[in-house]
Amino acid sequence: MSSPPQIPSDNLDDSSRVLKAVSEARTSIVYSSDDDESSDSERRRRTPPAELSPPRVTAGREKPEARQQQSALPTRFGTAGGRYMPPTLKRKMMADAASRGDAKEVQQRESWDQLKKRINGPVNKANIGNIKDIIVELFGANLVRGRGLLCRSLMRAQSQSTSFTAVYAALVAVINTKLPLIGELMVTRLVLQFRRAFKRDDKGLCISSVMFLAHLSNQRVAHEVLAFQIVSLLLETPTDDSVEVAVAFTREVGAFLGSIAPRVLNYVFDAFR
């Protein structure tokens, strides 16, 4: 019989080294995760607290909790912040609110939004030609409940377009004949707005406020004593801006004050001189 072939000693050494490397690789793969965790914890124990990296803050990104709360707001109140909402989505949100027991709150919010639209729409369309139709349309809404909305809408529209001040004042005068509390609320808010603007030296807001008050005085909604008080306040410590506001106010209400109290108006003209 022939003897088996002899393997050189060099080849045996190479094969043993390969087997040893494979076994070490298997051992390192099995225990690599445990070693990494232990080394990471060991490193954190050895690193002082001052050298630890602070938590990463991403600017412009909100937390998931905040996003969930914001997304829950439309569902809770039944509106989309004044934006258009499809009827199917609105019915679904109403059903969800009814299942949670918040149906009354959602209905009140919906009725308030509808009232706001019924008031803001006619006020924004008001002009000399359609003021009769606008008054009839406004009386169709619940003005007792929405008197604050009406005053706010009129003041905002008048400040944005002062050329329609006479139209808005006539609108308030007609509503004041049936609902005097709306005229009183309008005059009160305009006086407070004028006082804030006068303290802040906001000439534009002062002029728009006194113009509205002047036309309300012409319509007999505001008393003439209020007009004289405004002029005396503006001319008490005269400056360029205060005299300009007083001149703008007197141009609008001077004829009415001259017919009511001409002597007092003469004192005002003397102060201007």
Side-chain angles (χ1 to χ4, degrees):
M1 284 180 70
S2 62
S3 61
Q6 300 291 329
I7 299 175
S9 60
D10 294 335
N11 294 337
L12 288 175
D13 294 336
D14 292 337
S15 61
S16 62
R17 284 196 296 270
V18 170
L19 291 174
K20 185 176 180 181
V22 169
S23 61
E24 290 178 355
R26 287 178 179 177
T27 306
S28 63
I29 291 172
V30 172
Y31 296 99
S32 61
S33 60
D34 298 336
D35 293 338
D36 292 338
E37 291 178 359
S38 60
S39 62
D40 187 44
S41 60
E42 188 71 16
R43 180 180 61 81
R44 287 184 175 274
R45 281 198 300 268
R46 292 179 182 178
T47 306
E51 297 180 5
L52 293 176
S53 60
R56 188 176 180 180
V57 178
T58 57
R61 296 183 181 179
E62 299 176 353
K63 295 183 179 180
E65 295 82 0
R67 287 197 297 269
Q68 291 177 1
Q69 292 178 359
Q70 291 181 357
S71 62
L73 283 176
T75 306
R76 177 176 177 80
F77 295 110
T79 59
R83 298 187 297 271
Y84 171 75
M85 183 181 296
T88 55
L89 181 59
K90 186 178 293 186
R91 287 194 295 267
K92 181 180 178 182
M93 294 171 66
M94 290 286 290
D96 295 340
S99 63
R100 292 195 307 270
D102 297 338
K104 288 186 177 181
E105 184 179 357
V106 174
Q107 290 176 359
Q108 289 179 1
R109 177 65 63 173
E110 288 292 332
S111 64
W112 183 258
D113 290 340
Q114 291 177 3
L115 180 60
K116 186 187 295 184
K117 291 178 182 178
R118 292 188 66 181
I119 291 175
N120 290 337
V123 168
N124 293 332
K125 296 185 297 182
N127 55 45
I128 299 175
N130 63 356
I131 187 171
K132 183 178 178 180
D133 300 330
I134 293 299
I135 291 171
V136 174
E137 188 176 354
L138 284 176
F139 274 118
N142 188 359
L143 294 181
V144 176
R145 185 188 179 195
R147 56 187 181 273
L149 294 174
L150 178 62
C151 294
R152 187 186 309 165
S153 180
L154 287 169
M155 291 170 63
R156 182 174 63 249
Q158 187 270 337
S159 62
Q160 293 175 357
S161 57
T162 56
S163 58
F164 288 91
T165 305
V167 177
Y168 298 133
L171 187 63
V172 175
V174 174
I175 296 174
N176 185 66
T177 58
K178 302 297 182 181
L179 299 172
L181 72 165
I182 293 180
E184 181 181 359
L185 180 62
M186 174 65 72
V187 173
T188 303
R189 290 196 175 186
L190 284 172
V191 170
L192 292 176
Q193 178 176 287
F194 167 70
R195 291 176 61 182
R196 285 195 300 267
F198 185 74
K199 290 180 180 179
R200 298 173 184 173
D201 294 334
D202 190 350
K203 186 175 69 173
L205 189 57
C206 280
I207 291 176
S208 64
S209 301
V210 298
M211 283 183 66
F212 208 161
L213 287 171
H215 283 279
L216 289 178
S217 298
N218 294 335
Q219 296 288 346
R220 301 296 182 94
V221 177
H223 202 273
E224 60 271 10
V225 176
L226 177 63
F228 286 118
Q229 288 176 349
I230 291 175
V231 174
S232 62
L233 176 64
L234 293 171
L235 298 179
E236 184 178 1
T237 54
T239 60
D240 294 339
D241 293 337
S242 65
V243 171
E244 183 178 353
V245 174
V247 168
F249 179 70
T250 309
R251 282 177 180 174
E252 302 295 336
V253 77
F256 171 71
L257 295 180
S259 62
I260 295 296
R263 292 184 179 180
V264 181
L265 188 61
N266 289 331
Y267 287 117
V268 173
F269 286 144
D270 292 338
F272 278 125
R273 296 188 187 98

